[in-house]
Amino acid sequence: MTRRLVLATRNEHKVHELRQILAALVDDLDLEVVGADEVEGAADVPETEVTFLGNARLKAVALARASGLPSVADDSGLAVEVLGGSPGVFSARWSGSAAGEGAARAEKDRANLGLLLEQVADVPDEHRAAAFVCAAVVAMPDGRVEGVEGRVEGSLVRAPRGTNGFGYDPVFVPAGDSRTLAEYTDEEKNAISHRGNAFRALEPVLRELLA
């Protein structure tokens, strides 16, 4: 019997990416993966915690309670070494308030990216280390909650490159490569990304809770 699994996000890029990742990991569980927009009563939850795991837990638990369905949330961002780990949990609102939808989100992404590049403009290449970090949490309507983290190490280039991906992808080069994540195909990105790594770590938990 098909079960619904709700993703605690309204970001269409993230819904697309997570559907691809989950299809590759737990397709045999016969899940219908839907975004928060497709569930009645799913409210936006303020990200008031100071860790990725804390914010992901807030969103997953709230959605599970509101929907009565198993819910998955992630919180992710970019940690730049020379900035002391910032933007971190503030990645999506680094240049101001959180992004909206559609064109507003794209504009916000450009503003965040522009501000970050300004802040590290004078930083030598050898000190532009960064990492993408993702926390993934699954929450069940009965109160069970489990979470994990994943990351990918890399560095920042000086100008955006590539047209795939979103957020800070156009300026992040994974360690050992010369391409930005925005120059990867979806499949290549999911194979090494922080989100892919987090959800691979979450796979056994999902199987235990949803089987």
Side-chain angles (χ1 to χ4, degrees):
M1 181 180 69
T2 301
R3 298 187 64 182
R4 296 186 96 195
L5 178 67
V6 188
L7 304 177
T9 181
R10 302 181 191 277
N11 183 331
E12 62 182 25
H13 295 293
K14 191 180 289 187
V15 170
H16 172 73
E17 195 168 285
L18 290 178
R19 278 180 173 150
Q20 287 186 321
I21 292 170
L22 288 167
L25 293 174
V26 292
D27 192 49
D28 58 302
L29 294 185
D30 195 19
L31 299 174
E32 180 191 2
V33 180
V34 300
D37 279 340
E38 300 175 66
V39 177
E40 186 176 351
D44 291 331
V45 178
E47 296 179 352
T48 56
E49 295 289 333
V50 295
T51 65
F52 293 116
L53 201 57
N55 282 327
R57 183 185 178 93
L58 277 179
K59 294 184 287 186
V61 169
L63 187 57
R65 288 173 177 167
S67 67
L69 296 168
S71 300
V72 168
D74 85 298
D75 192 43
S76 58
L78 182 68
V80 180
E81 188 174 292
V82 75
L83 297 180
S86 295
V89 295
F90 304 107
S91 292
R93 50 191 188 276
W94 192 233
S95 61
S97 59
E101 300 300 322
R105 180 177 295 279
E107 183 178 341
K108 187 63 177 180
D109 281 351
R110 286 192 292 272
N112 289 336
L113 200 55
L115 177 59
L116 176 69
L117 290 177
E118 286 178 16
Q119 292 169 326
V120 297
D122 296 331
V123 176
D125 291 346
E126 62 269 26
H127 296 301
R128 296 172 72 88
F132 267 125
V133 183
C134 174
V137 172
V138 56
M140 302 297 287
D142 63 10
R144 289 176 293 169
V145 183
E146 297 286 347
V148 298
E149 284 193 347
R151 62 190 291 129
V152 58
E153 305 289 340
S155 61
L156 301 179
V157 294
R158 297 186 176 275
R161 299 201 314 257
T163 58
N164 202 10
F166 58 99
Y168 298 95
D169 287 352
V171 297
F172 182 84
V173 174
D177 204 346
S178 59
R179 297 174 298 165
T180 70
L181 280 182
E183 294 175 298
Y184 278 46
T185 65
D186 288 348
E187 292 76 14
E188 288 175 323
K189 179 183 175 182
N190 293 341
I192 62 97
S193 75
H194 55 310
R195 194 165 289 117
N197 290 336
F199 276 81
R200 277 184 284 277
L202 192 66
E203 178 186 356
V205 177
L206 286 170
R207 290 188 177 281
E208 179 181 350
L209 295 178
L210 299 176

